[in-house]
Amino acid sequence: MAKKQKAEVIPKSCVACGSCLKVCPKKAISIWKGSYAIVEKEKCVGCRRCERECPVNGIEMRETHEKVV
Ligand code: SF4
Ligand code: SF4
């Protein structure tokens, strides 16, 4: 069974540059207290744009247990 992927920020890698925010089509990412990015999992559609955009490889795609619809 296929599983959905969702973006997850690695806080210790993130430099809060804001690049991922600009490319996310779902506006699922915000910067938490100016220190690192966080992804709202409910909004993320797993398009991987943020992962490609991040200059420090601070975003990983993680499988979720939700079914792909
Ligand atoms: S994978 Fe796509 S939808 Fe999810 S947070 Fe990254 S840019 Fe946004
Ligand atoms: S692009 Fe990478 S370093 Fe920049 S805010 Fe997003 S996760 Fe952090």
Side-chain angles (χ1 to χ4, degrees):
M1 185 196 300
K3 286 182 180 159
K4 257 187 192 169
Q5 291 209 321
K6 303 250 176 184
E8 189 167 305
V9 176
I10 305 157
K12 64 175 162 45
S13 300
C14 177
V15 293
C17 69
S19 296
C20 55
L21 279 69
K22 291 179 200 146
V23 297
C24 180
K26 296 290 173 182
K27 301 202 179 341
I29 314 175
S30 53
I31 302 284
W32 187 76
K33 293 188 178 175
S35 50
Y36 58 84
I38 48 168
V39 177
E40 285 178 65
K41 294 263 163 67
E42 320 75 65
K43 292 185 184 171
C44 175
V45 292
C47 70
R48 309 187 83 128
R49 286 185 203 174
C50 55
E51 185 194 32
R52 286 198 295 268
E53 198 67 23
C54 181
V56 295
N57 293 325
I59 297 182
E60 284 183 344
M61 301 306 293
R62 295 261 163 87
E63 282 192 349
T64 70
H65 296 293
E66 289 171 51
K67 287 180 198 165
V68 176
V69 284

